Amino acid sequence: MTVRAGDFSEAVSLGMFRVTSVPSAQEWTATFEGREVVVASSVGLKFSSLDEDVARRGFVSPEQSRAGVSAYGEIRRLTGMPVEQSVADVALPATKVWEARQGGRLEAVHELGRVLSGSAVVNSRGAWTVVPDAVGAPVVTLRLGDLGTVLDVADEIDTDQVFNEVVGSFEDANGNPIYATARVTTGDLAVSGNYGTNTRYYSSELVKTQAQADRAVQSVLAQSIGAQQYDVEVQCHVNPVVEIGDVAQLVGWRRPLVGRVRRVSLSDSPYMNVTLRVDRELS
């Protein structure tokens, strides 16, 4: 994107992409010394994120990871692409079979992102990284300005998805069952209080010990009771350095707002539309 303001002009890279189609092309001609020559041309492009490369590349047969290999190491092996570590790496607790099916390689990378407590995405530098589930400190600021608007703020609260008890069911390396339970015992969301008990069941093939099971259910419980997420649609001044996965703070509105960028829509307008996923604190 080229940003211009008066005499100032600067080009900013929006990322690396794969061109998937050329839907249009046009040429402009002029007569010069009795000959018609092309003086300008325009080509329309459709392009996709580089995770398209991983989606297109299938497994020839089911592949098995090695026990103890790191999650980031497995992402490097499966994608053959650069990887930037954004959260703490973990060792895969057991062998995992990646199925040979359409999109199976990309599904495997996404599952490894979940193992790292986040979402695996390709960033603007063409490297895989993991966007953590937890919303941290803001790294970028969005400004409303005179004509900027907050288009939609959700006021609805859906408590059906607020679980105060998590029951986990797993198997160890020998196929023996492992069970773990985590529940809220104090406060407004306590299982013994007026809210009652709302149970979620959880399992994962990558949990193979009791300690891993206990940590897993506690993590799922913390995500549930800590906040409920909702999306906010914001129209604000263009900021070409904003990326999907960034934690952004919004200034110029009636109250502070911090959320993770889930979608960005750019055009030749001086404004852009951004979807922020915001946590609503419940307790």
Side-chain angles (χ1 to χ4, degrees):
M1 171 178 282
T2 300
V3 180
R4 295 185 178 91
D7 294 333
F8 171 83
S9 177
E10 184 169 344
V12 180
S13 172
L14 297 181
M16 300 175 64
F17 307 93
R18 170 179 285 277
V19 176
T20 57
S21 68
V22 181
S24 64
Q26 187 175 3
E27 292 184 343
W28 288 267
T29 62
T31 301
F32 177 73
E33 295 182 350
R35 293 186 300 116
E36 193 172 82
V37 296
V38 175
V39 294
S41 61
S42 174
V43 178
L45 299 176
K46 286 187 177 181
F47 51 88
S48 299
S49 167
L50 292 185
D51 56 6
E52 177 78 5
D53 291 357
V54 179
R56 290 162 50 138
R57 179 185 168 202
F59 292 118
V60 176
S61 60
E63 291 190 11
Q64 191 173 52
S65 65
R66 301 187 310 276
V69 69
S70 77
Y72 273 114
E74 190 71 345
I75 292 175
R76 289 186 180 92
R77 186 184 74 84
L78 292 176
T79 64
M81 295 169 59
V83 174
E84 295 181 4
Q85 185 168 329
S86 54
V87 297
D89 202 356
V90 299
L92 299 183
T95 56
K96 166 70 177 178
V97 176
W98 308 118
E99 299 295 338
R101 59 171 178 262
Q102 197 71 40
R105 189 178 296 270
L106 184 60
E107 289 179 13
V109 175
H110 287 166
E111 183 170 345
L112 289 166
R114 290 190 290 271
V115 170
L116 291 164
S117 299
S119 301
V121 300
V122 178
N123 62 22
S124 62
R125 294 174 293 280
W128 280 95
T129 189
V130 174
V131 176
D133 292 330
V135 176
V139 298
V140 68
T141 298
L142 304 177
R143 301 184 184 279
L144 288 185
D146 295 336
L147 299 178
T149 57
V150 175
L151 304 177
D152 184 33
V153 175
D155 295 319
E156 177 185 2
I157 298 178
D158 183 3
T159 59
D160 286 344
Q161 300 303 311
V162 179
F163 301 99
N164 57 0
E165 180 181 68
V166 178
V167 176
S169 177
F170 315 95
E171 289 185 355
D172 66 14
N174 298 318
N176 299 313
I178 301 174
Y179 301 103
T181 303
R183 56 175 59 94
V184 181
T185 57
T186 59
D188 295 334
L189 295 179
V191 294
S192 59
N194 294 329
Y195 183 71
T197 302
N198 192 10
T199 305
R200 176 182 175 181
Y201 295 90
Y202 178 74
S203 63
S204 172
E205 295 179 7
L206 296 173
V207 172
K208 295 297 179 181
T209 68
Q210 186 65 55
Q212 292 167 353
D214 292 339
R215 288 195 299 269
V217 294
Q218 285 290 348
S219 175
V220 173
L221 179 66
Q223 291 176 17
S224 175
I225 68 171
Q228 178 174 292
Q229 294 181 326
Y230 63 101
D231 287 345
V232 179
E233 302 294 333
V234 176
Q235 187 179 69
C236 58
H237 287 293
V238 164
N239 185 341
V241 303
V242 173
E243 294 189 37
I244 292 175
D246 285 346
V247 178
Q249 62 178 344
L250 178 67
V251 298
W253 197 44
R254 63 176 181 266
R255 63 180 175 85
L257 199 63
V258 175
R260 190 173 296 284
V261 177
R262 303 291 294 184
R263 184 174 182 273
V264 179
S265 179
L266 295 169
S267 67
D268 57 357
S269 164
Y271 292 90
M272 66 181 183
N273 291 334
V274 178
T275 301
L276 290 179
R277 182 152 294 177
V278 178
D279 288 342
R280 175 185 282 122
E281 298 294 334
L282 297 176
S283 64

